[in-house]
Amino acid sequence: TLALLTGCNGMRLIDSQVQSVPAASAAALQGARYRFERLPSQISNPAAGLAEQQAQAALSMAGLVRDDAGAQLSILVQARTGAVVDTWGRPALGFGLHGYSHRSMVTGWGMRFPPPPQYQYEVSLLMRDLRSGLVVYETQAAHNGPWSDAEKIIPALMTAALKDFPNPPARNRQVNIEIAR
């Protein structure tokens, strides 16, 4: 029983699939000043501003400094979320607590119909040198899971996308970020 209860701590793991591609030397990006760039479709979209707010903390942790007037880089931020439904109608087989009394806890396997929803999250950041107009860094992170609280998951994905900035490994990787439940 103790093992079951300790597994319910106050943290959860957001496992993200991350791909980052630098196109400039690390020295050019270290401590750079940036401003946000928006596509025409993002200008009047309040979600674009929210994605930028969520990215700003991760960019700061990566050593970048927001400076709209003295920017060296422009950063385009995109975030997408969506619910995924199992079109096959397959049951979700899982372990769960089926009952509890003051004397004992009953556990067992169960089938759930319809299956619980899954949510997809994706973020991407595109950094462009303002003098040359060239893309100098590109990164994206994706996560699928049972949680619908995008306001907690999107910032974790931004942090995952900027892990090891500006010298990421040269391959796709999984980055795990813990967040509060």
Side-chain angles (χ1 to χ4, degrees):
T1 313
L2 183 58
L4 287 173
L5 295 176
T6 57
C8 298
N9 66 11
M11 302 300 283
R12 62 184 152 146
L13 190 68
I14 304 301
D15 55 334
S16 306
Q17 301 309 309
V18 177
Q19 180 181 16
S20 301
V21 182
S25 70
L29 297 175
Q30 199 71 40
R33 300 189 178 285
Y34 73 92
R35 70 177 183 221
F36 288 114
E37 173 185 337
R38 287 193 183 177
L39 298 173
S41 62
Q42 295 175 314
I43 291 172
S44 61
N45 183 350
L50 179 59
E52 290 169 359
Q53 288 175 355
Q54 293 169 326
Q56 192 163 336
L59 289 162
S60 178
M61 288 188 321
L64 296 168
V65 178
R66 183 165 182 186
D67 181 357
D68 291 348
Q72 301 157 291
L73 302 173
S74 69
I75 300 179
L76 176 65
V77 178
Q78 295 183 309
R80 290 175 289 285
T81 64
V84 178
V85 177
D86 184 356
T87 57
W88 293 93
R90 293 178 289 204
L93 182 62
F95 183 77
L97 300 175
H98 293 289
Y100 179 78
S101 72
H102 68 283
R103 293 188 183 172
S104 66
M105 192 176 341
V106 179
T107 61
W109 291 91
M111 303 288 275
R112 296 192 322 216
F113 284 100
Q118 291 288 306
Y119 298 89
Q120 284 183 331
Y121 298 92
E122 295 178 21
V123 300
S124 66
L125 293 99
L126 186 72
M127 299 180 191
R128 188 179 310 274
D129 180 281
L130 286 171
R131 280 183 280 154
S132 68
L134 297 174
V135 172
V136 293
Y137 197 87
E138 174 184 4
T139 186
Q140 52 196 351
H143 169 75
N144 294 334
W147 300 292
S148 63
D149 54 343
E151 70 280 355
K152 290 183 179 180
I153 294 173
I154 295 294
L157 285 177
M158 298 287 186
T159 300
L162 290 166
K163 177 89 167 113
D164 300 318
F165 176 85
N167 298 307
R171 58 178 167 72
N172 295 345
R173 64 200 187 278
Q174 180 171 316
V175 176
N176 297 327
I177 304 291
E178 283 191 346
I179 63 171
R181 286 194 182 271

